[in-house]
Amino acid sequence: DAGITQSPRYKITETGRQVTLMCHQTWSHSYMFWYRQDLGHGLRLIYYSAAADITDKGEVPDGYVVSRSKTENFPLTLESATRSQTSVYFCASSTGLVGTYNEQFFGPGTRLTVL
Amino acid sequence: AQSVTQPDIHITVSEGASLELRCNYSYGATPYLFWYVQSPGQGLQLLLKYFSGDTLVQGIKGFEAEFKRSQSSFNLRKPSVHWSDAAEYFCAVDLLSSGSARQLTFGSGTQLTVLP
C-alpha cells in the first residue's frame, strides 16, 4: 500500500531487551522522522534523517539508535529498553524539496509497552 | 526556551456548538504554525497551517484558525462541531530550523469530547 506504514502496531517487551520499530514509506521522501508521544508532552522528536546514511539527533535521542540504509526505511532501535521508553512512537516523512515548505506526513504509530 | 502551550487539556462541547481550542507559542519571531488532529488509533493529520499573509486561515473539515501576533496565539475554531470531530488536537510550530529539515515542536494536545 502507498503511504507510510509502521510495524508492529503494538509491542510489549521487558526491561533490558532490544526492540526495533520499523517505518516504511513509499513516496521516496528524503526526510524521515521519529517522534514519541507521551501524556502531557505532545510529540517530541527523537531522531531524523535527511537522506540514506544521514541521521541527526532530535530533542530526546538518548537510549535510541537509528539507521537508514535505504531511502524508504527508517528503523528505530531501543538497544536496552527501559520503562521510561513506554510510549507511542510515530514515524513521519517529508519531501525535503529546497525552496518550498515540506509538510510532514505521519504513520499510524506503534504503541510500545516496556514491563 | 521556545515552547508551545495548549492550556486546555480536555474540552467537552455539545454537537452543533461552536469550538475554540487555544494555542500560544513562545518565540521571538513568527514561526510557521500548524494544527494537527489525531483520531483514536490513528496518526496525525494536518488540519491547517499558517506561514504568512492573511491571519485567518481555512483548513479541512470546516476548521479555521486565526493568528494573532500581539498575543502569540493561533487558536483553532469551528462554528458547529460534529460528533466525528471528537479527537485529540495538537498545535505545532516550526521554528524555521536551517536547511530543509523541518523540526516541529508540538503542544501537549487538547482532547475534544463531543456530546450528542
Side-chain angles (χ1 to χ4, degrees):
Chain A
D1 289 348
I4 184 165
T5 57
Q6 294 182 235
S7 61
R9 293 294 310 278
Y10 302 90
K11 176 73 176 178
I12 299 175
T13 191
E14 296 177 337
T15 301
R17 290 190 180 268
Q18 183 179 82
V19 177
T20 296
L21 310 183
M22 302 301 296
C23 179
H24 175 78
Q25 51 101 358
T26 61
W27 295 308
S28 298
H29 283 174
S30 298
Y31 281 87
M32 296 186 75
F33 306 82
W34 274 107
Y35 294 87
R36 60 177 290 173
Q37 181 183 27
D38 305 292
L39 279 176
H41 289 281
L43 278 74
R44 293 179 290 176
L45 182 65
I46 304 171
Y47 270 96
Y48 67 96
S49 167
D53 299 321
I54 301 175
T55 62
D56 208 347
K57 297 178 180 179
E59 181 185 353
V60 289
D62 294 342
Y64 302 95
V65 174
V66 293
S67 61
R68 195 164 174 211
S69 58
K70 293 183 178 181
T71 300
E72 61 268 28
N73 297 325
F74 191 37
L76 176 74
T77 298
L78 290 66
E79 292 192 307
S80 178
T82 65
R83 290 194 182 89
S84 65
Q85 293 177 309
T86 293
S87 186
V88 181
Y89 292 85
F90 287 98
C91 180
S93 70
S94 69
T95 60
L97 294 174
V98 175
T100 184
Y101 188 81
N102 303 303
E103 177 185 341
Q104 291 185 28
F105 295 89
F106 286 81
T110 294
R111 183 175 294 276
L112 176 66
T113 301
V114 183
L115 302 176
Chain B
Q2 296 85 3
S3 65
V4 180
T5 302
Q6 293 180 245
D8 303 306
I9 296 173
H10 195 180
I11 285 184
T12 300
V13 299
S14 297
E15 191 169 16
S18 63
L19 172 70
E20 182 169 27
L21 303 183
R22 297 182 291 165
C23 174
N24 294 92
Y25 64 91
S26 171
Y27 187 57
T30 300
Y32 290 172
L33 298 158
F34 306 84
W35 275 99
Y36 283 86
V37 60
Q38 183 183 24
S39 298
Q42 303 296 313
L44 277 71
Q45 181 182 21
L46 182 65
L47 281 176
L48 47 77
K49 60 196 176 206
Y50 173 78
F51 292 168
S52 64
D54 192 346
T55 57
L56 185 64
V57 294
Q58 303 296 321
I60 62 172
K61 304 185 180 187
F63 285 92
E64 67 179 26
E66 185 173 14
F67 169 60
K68 293 185 177 180
R69 185 188 307 274
S70 62
Q71 298 176 18
S72 296
S73 68
F74 188 56
N75 293 349
L76 182 71
R77 301 195 294 245
K78 187 170 185 178
S80 178
V81 170
H82 188 263
W83 65 266
S84 61
D85 294 325
E88 187 153 23
Y89 292 80
F90 292 95
C91 181
V93 304
D94 182 332
L95 301 178
L96 305 182
S97 49
S98 61
S100 297
R102 316 313 310 188
Q103 294 196 34
L104 295 174
T105 298
F106 286 84
S108 54
T110 297
Q111 182 69 46
L112 174 66
T113 297
V114 180
L115 300 176

